[in-house]
Amino acid sequence: MEEDFADTTMDACLIAAGQRAEHYEMAAYGTLVAWAKAMGHTEAATLLQRTLDEEKAADKKLSGLAEGGINQGAADAAHAEDEKEPVGAAAGSARKSPAKADRR
Ligand SMILES: [Fe+2]
């Protein structure tokens, strides 16, 4: 990640990365719970379900952090950077942030 991102942008990126990991884990544990149930391993299914619930809780906490102001802070920081760019710098900034090209 770029070191010159605003702190809040770095936080938003770290949360996003954490949520990708949580979703991967949720998919894996969800599958394992289903397989354990299908095979009649009820004790294993119960333990795996507990872990799946923990993964879901972690994801929910991360969503709460992101939606509790960090994402907005990152968006505000990005807009503040847009306003600092000199006129005619649009071509250079488009290279840094392809998403800007989609804004109309
Ligand atoms: Fe996790």
Side-chain angles (χ1 to χ4, degrees), residues 4-6 10 12 14 16 31-32 34 53 56 66 81 89 91-93:
D4 60 348
F5 282 160
M10 291 295 289
L14 289 170
T31 298
L32 292 172
D53 292 343
K56 288 179 179 179
E81 284 298 315
S93 66

Side-chain angles (χ1 to χ4, degrees), residues 10-63:
M10 291 295 289
D11 289 344
C13 290
L14 289 170
I15 289 169
Q19 287 197 281
R20 283 193 294 277
E22 297 305 335
H23 287 213
Y24 178 83
E25 292 170 327
M26 287 159 53
Y29 282 111
T31 298
L32 292 172
V33 168
W35 286 354
K37 286 179 180 175
M39 296 173 74
H41 298 303
T42 54
E43 185 180 349
T46 299
L47 293 171
L48 289 163
Q49 181 64 53
R50 193 173 303 155
T51 302
L52 175 57
D53 292 343
E54 290 170 2
E55 303 300 349
K56 288 179 179 179
D59 180 56
K60 193 173 180 180
K61 278 185 189 172
L62 289 169
S63 287

Side-chain angles (χ1 to χ4, degrees), residues 88-104:
S93 66
R95 240 181 289 125
K96 283 183 185 172
S97 177
K100 289 179 184 174
D102 296 331
R103 289 192 211 141
R104 297 190 201 281

